[in-house]
Amino acid sequence: MTASSSLFDLTGRTALITGSSQGLGLALARGLAQHGAAIVLNGRDPAKVEAAAADLRAGGARVTSAVFDVTDARAVTHAIAHVQETFGPIDILVNNAGIHRRAPLLEMLESQWREVLDTNLTSAFLVARAVAPGMIARRAGKIINVCSLMSEIGRATTGNYAAAKGGLKMLTRAMAVEWAEHGLQINGIGPGYFATEMTQALVENPQFDAWLKLRTPARRWGKPEELVGAAVFLASRASDFVNGQILYVDGGVLASL
């Protein structure tokens, strides 16, 4: 192994990726596994999590499952303790769990607001709060919060999502301010528009598809595997002096009016 490639080697490290039974979370789990990490998959549907785990194991990855609701503080605490007792310390945490409930603000139900904030923002606090003490004790750890273009810009009907992702950007920086001195690196990835299960309705909408391709300088949707490089960088030794940053992977959207 060359010195440059060893910077990105994750062998011997364990990564927990929340919301990783499908979509971007599963793509990130697969990518980290391909670079040597042992993987802890998370989701609320046991069947979907186990199917994803079987898929990764077929590729040679060391994988375990952690089925719990990331918005339930007690469940988070118990699950993290169990994982670390049975599978080993968590060296890398990717807070990826997220949902979308679109509605104009004047029509948005309080339940839609709270569900998105709880899942996309509060869960990152709860899971990181459970994982960080072990990292601090070892004076090493990587936390990657999956933010969004909506951490910077808004669009009609996405007020709850934008509020959550904007908050996640600032939570990332707050974590870095408090925990960097203990040897942790906490950063974010900001995906642009990626073709996943969550965005399938938009991909199949000709009007939105055309608008998105005109709005994106790369003139296309992102592919889930194209997020892996950023995650591996932020999970590896290559980012040991990078803290509190958001790396946008968006095909150039934020660079363009």
Side-chain angles (χ1 to χ4, degrees), residues 97-99 113-122 124 146-148 150-151 158-171:
I99 60 171
W113 174 269
R114 291 187 182 278
E115 187 181 9
V116 169
L117 267 289
D118 285 348
T119 304
N120 296 19
L121 175 58
T122 303
V146 178
C147 299
S148 168
M150 298 291 170
S151 297
T158 66
N160 48 1
Y161 191 85
K165 292 299 188 177
L168 188 57
K169 175 184 75 171
M170 296 312 299
L171 178 60

Side-chain angles (χ1 to χ4, degrees), residues 184-219:
L184 281 62
Q185 291 82 51
I186 303 93
N187 295 286
I189 298 175
Y193 284 92
F194 281 71
T196 68
E197 292 89 340
M198 194 165 88
T199 60
Q200 191 60 37
L202 296 177
V203 173
E204 295 174 353
N205 181 319
Q207 183 178 1
F208 188 90
D209 178 65
W211 172 85
L212 184 278
K213 289 173 179 174
L214 285 173
R215 180 67 181 82
T216 304
R219 301 295 182 243

Side-chain angles (χ1 to χ4, degrees), residues 2-121:
T2 65
S4 59
S5 63
S6 69
L7 278 176
F8 301 94
D9 182 26
L10 302 177
T11 302
R13 302 187 189 186
T14 296
L16 164 62
I17 304 95
T18 66
S20 49
S21 63
Q22 64 179 14
L24 293 182
L26 181 55
L28 292 174
R30 181 176 290 109
L32 295 180
Q34 289 169 347
H35 284 75
I39 302 299
V40 182
L41 290 176
N42 160 259
R44 293 184 295 180
D45 184 329
K48 290 179 69 173
V49 174
E50 285 306 322
D55 180 49
L56 293 188
R57 290 191 190 104
R62 179 172 174 250
V63 184
T64 194
S65 300
V67 179
F68 63 93
D69 182 350
V70 293
T71 69
D72 182 332
R74 181 173 295 182
V76 167
T77 299
H78 288 316
I80 297 302
H82 178 72
V83 165
Q84 299 200 112
E85 288 169 7
T86 60
F87 197 67
I90 295 169
D91 305 294
I92 302 160
L93 167 62
V94 183
N95 281 311
N96 169 75
I99 60 171
H100 218 327
R101 300 289 183 263
R102 293 179 179 85
L105 286 171
L106 291 179
E107 299 172 15
M108 186 174 292
L109 302 175
E110 183 179 348
S111 60
Q112 292 175 305
W113 174 269
R114 291 187 182 278
E115 187 181 9
V116 169
L117 267 289
D118 285 348
T119 304
N120 296 19
L121 175 58

